[in-house]
Amino acid sequence: MPQTFDALAVRAWCGLALDALGRAREEIDAINVYPVADGDTGTNLYLTLESAATAVEAVFAGHEAGGGGDPGRPTLADAVRAMAHGALIGARGNSGTILAQLLRGMAQVLAGDDAPAHADGTGLGLALRHAADSARQAVAHPVEGTVLTVASAAADAAGTADGDCGAVARAAYEGARTALAETPDRLDVLRQAGVVDAGGRGLVTVLAALVESLTGETPRGPAARGPGPHPRTGAAHTVAAPCADDDAPPRPGGPAFEVIYLLEAEDAAVARLRERLDALGDSLVVVGGDGLWNVHVHVDDAGAAVEAGVEAGRPYRIRITHFGAGDAHAPGAGRTPPERVQRAVVAVVPGEGLAGLCTEAGATAVLARPGEPPASGELVQAVRRAHAREVVLLPNDAELRHTAAAAAEQVRAEGVRVALIPTRSAVQGIAALAVHEPERRFDEDVVAMTSAAGATRYAEVTVAERQSWTMAGICQAGDVLGLVDGDVAVIGQDLTETALAVLDRMLAAGGELVTLVVGDGAPESVAERLQARVREAYLAVDTVVHHGGRQGSVLLIGVE
């Protein structure tokens, strides 16, 4: 039967592409030399597509629960809109932002008012054409030999293909694969490093997954290197090599910061924003539409880039990354680095108070502001700042497990021994840090920290932003929620009373130490009331209070 592109194909494509990028991520990171040799293109593509895949799964879950007109089967328009929106809000880095616009371009064709339940080969070809054109328009100064060239070649090949969606996808893949092999001939920095474009390599991986989702066939993969001998070793370019940062020509005076944010703004304001950001820096990509945009730029004045966003509309999820000492922008990158320390701890924390606590304990803190989870690049930079031979990484958030794993893989490739302890809350991280002893053998230290974290139950008290179904029933906007081990256990109206109910639930199973992390939004008396409850009702249980500052949850509770 002829292959068609429908909602199930979108779902399969996202899943297969995510798996493929997960396998190729390290290889793609290793060949990342343009526009900045910061070794994170594969990781950024993976995280962007992960957000897209999560959004598609949410649409299917909603229909399976009876939220759609046809339970269990969303329309093609539903699926591609979700895919594009998920990629837009989760886009990371230059490559991820361009991928988000490619997916949005496809959605604009496939999710129109008169869109059919499934697309044929002609429709898929038109979608790939619009995707390539819209991505090129989103980049302030398109450069040939990049992912834009690969996307255009895929669209050209798809436009000349006859047949069903499977035939069109195969043609697009082969066109992209051929263009990828030619990228070193179009961009000097790639030719000098002896690699193909990393973003283009990632796009070819995504298109291979499209072929597999439509035909069940796995196309042959592209080489990570260019067609000639390696410029230093003379070996044929058939496999990926370590990160080629030292092959990339230096860019003295280049921008020092990457700035990314989501922006709610009107089209006219965004047009003015493009002009202003273009004057401030380079690698400018602005994608999106319908009032929501993702802005990416490299600048020296990060504050000015954010201020420009404030003038245009409402920026949020702001991420500012300083290019590290090992990248192409850093002056003096060739100097001999200082001697590494033996061991360090890197911990993600939700507020300034815990950041100070971790710093006092000798750890390197990465601040996760409300609504702004750190990207893998930020975690990589934190590990590099720690400058240790051995690093214990504490993500302190279940949602950061993939991001932390990606960062750990990247720094392991740089020769750092990394242990990732899957802490799900900052209170588990505090427990792990409390038993950390750098003089112990690394494995023994990791086991002790993991045991301490695992023995700590965690809870949080927060305020609901909208009506929602929970494990404890339906909550309304403004209700106080008490979550125990990640699930809503208590719904209340008073924050202190809800916190007391949560504490009683946790201590019903026993405990020796209660840790309270109080945020700025908590009543002044809440810590005192909780401490009094422990003293009165639970003998031989100690309490420790930390002030978290501005953090996502009003209160964090840990019970060891």
Side-chain angles (χ1 to χ4, degrees):
M1 295 180 62
Q3 290 99 5
T4 58
F5 194 62
D6 58 8
L8 288 175
V10 173
R11 186 186 202 181
W13 181 27
C14 287
L16 290 168
L18 188 63
D19 289 343
L21 283 174
R23 295 189 299 270
R25 180 174 59 198
E26 185 175 346
E27 173 189 308
I28 297 171
D29 284 342
I31 62 172
N32 172 202
V33 298
Y34 183 86
V36 177
D38 49 358
D40 63 358
T41 289
T43 299
N44 288 336
L45 288 169
Y46 177 86
L47 294 173
T48 301
L49 195 57
E50 180 183 44
S51 182
T54 299
V56 172
E57 289 300 322
V59 166
F60 271 85
H63 280 260
E64 289 165 2
D70 182 9
R73 182 67 65 87
T75 65
L76 171 61
D78 292 332
V80 294
R81 284 195 197 103
M83 176 179 65
H85 182 73
L88 177 67
I89 64 175
R92 304 294 180 97
N94 189 76
S95 55
T97 307
I98 292 174
L99 176 61
Q101 187 65 5
L102 287 167
L103 297 180
R104 176 179 169 79
M106 292 186 68
Q108 287 175 324
V109 172
L110 300 173
D113 293 336
D114 299 322
H118 55 78
D120 58 13
T122 300
L124 180 58
L126 290 173
L128 291 170
R129 175 78 273 161
H130 187 66
D133 293 344
S134 60
R136 187 172 288 270
Q137 292 166 7
V139 178
H141 302 285
V143 174
E144 296 305 326
T146 65
V147 63
L148 298 176
T149 303
V150 176
S152 294
D156 292 343
T160 61
D162 293 323
D164 58 18
C165 286
V168 171
R170 285 191 198 93
Y173 172 76
E174 290 299 334
R177 190 174 182 273
T178 299
L180 176 67
E182 296 171 354
T183 54
D185 298 329
R186 291 177 167 240
L187 198 57
D188 285 344
V189 65
L190 302 177
R191 178 181 53 77
Q192 293 174 16
V195 296
V196 296
D197 179 66
R201 172 68 176 85
L203 179 59
V204 170
T205 300
V206 172
L207 290 174
L210 178 62
V211 174
E212 186 176 358
S213 68
L214 291 168
T215 69
E217 302 170 3
T218 304
R220 55 177 179 165
R225 293 198 171 279
H230 189 281
R232 290 181 299 175
T233 66
H237 295 157
T238 56
V239 296
C243 185
D245 290 9
D246 55 336
D247 288 320
R251 298 176 61 192
F257 296 95
E258 178 185 58
V259 178
I260 305 174
Y261 50 80
L262 290 178
L263 177 70
E264 293 178 357
E266 300 298 326
D267 290 5
V270 172
R272 294 191 296 271
L273 174 66
R274 289 178 190 269
E275 294 181 2
R276 181 167 178 187
L277 293 179
D278 193 27
L280 286 174
D282 61 27
S283 297
L284 173 62
V285 186
V286 181
V287 304
D290 302 321
L292 180 62
W293 308 81
N294 191 304
V295 179
H296 170 280
V297 67
H298 294 172
V299 292
D300 278 322
D301 191 343
V306 175
E307 288 171 7
V310 173
E311 291 180 6
R314 186 178 80 88
Y316 61 103
R317 291 194 186 179
I318 301 168
R319 301 186 189 97
I320 300 174
T321 304
H322 184 271
F323 293 122
D327 65 46
H329 286 326
R335 293 180 300 199
T336 302
E339 182 68 21
R340 291 180 181 271
V341 299
Q342 183 60 34
R343 190 175 308 158
V345 177
V346 173
V348 180
V349 292
E352 292 84 353
L354 289 185
L357 176 68
C358 288
T359 302
E360 290 176 8
T364 299
V366 179
L367 189 60
R369 298 175 179 84
E372 301 173 23
S376 61
E378 294 176 70
L379 299 185
V380 169
Q381 292 298 334
V383 172
R384 289 171 178 165
R385 288 199 308 273
H387 203 60
R389 298 183 182 89
E390 303 166 338
V391 172
V392 179
L393 181 57
L394 305 174
N396 295 336
D397 186 337
E399 298 298 322
L400 288 177
R401 61 190 186 279
H402 294 302
T403 303
E409 285 187 23
Q410 184 171 337
V411 293
R412 285 185 187 120
E414 300 173 9
V416 180
R417 189 180 184 188
V418 181
L420 171 59
I421 299 178
T423 46
R424 295 172 172 265
S425 171
V427 291
Q428 289 188 325
I430 292 172
L433 192 57
V435 300
H436 167 55
E437 292 185 13
E439 294 79 16
R440 272 193 300 225
R441 290 180 54 238
F442 185 66
D443 292 339
E444 293 175 354
D445 198 29
V446 171
V447 168
M449 295 176 72
T450 302
S451 297
T456 303
R457 299 187 67 200
Y458 62 95
E460 61 179 300
V461 178
T462 188
V463 178
E465 296 181 354
R466 62 183 66 88
Q467 184 186 62
S468 179
W469 287 89
T470 75
M471 296 288 289
I474 300 176
C475 72
Q476 305 294 330
D479 283 350
V480 181
L481 306 181
L483 292 85
V484 178
D485 293 338
D487 293 324
V488 176
V490 180
I491 300 175
Q493 301 299 314
D494 180 79
L495 193 143
T496 300
E497 293 302 321
T498 303
L500 288 168
V502 170
L503 181 64
D504 286 337
R505 278 181 177 247
M506 297 182 73
L507 287 175
E512 299 177 355
L513 175 66
V514 172
T515 300
L516 305 175
V517 181
V518 184
D520 284 345
E524 293 183 4
S525 62
V526 66
E528 183 178 337
R529 290 281 303 277
L530 292 171
Q531 286 178 295
R533 174 64 63 88
V534 172
R535 286 195 303 269
E536 295 165 3
Y538 304 98
L539 300 177
V541 177
D542 295 325
T543 307
V544 177
V545 179
H546 301 293
H547 295 283
R550 181 174 174 264
Q551 58 186 31
S553 299
V554 179
L555 176 70
L556 300 176
I557 304 174
V559 173
E560 297 179 53

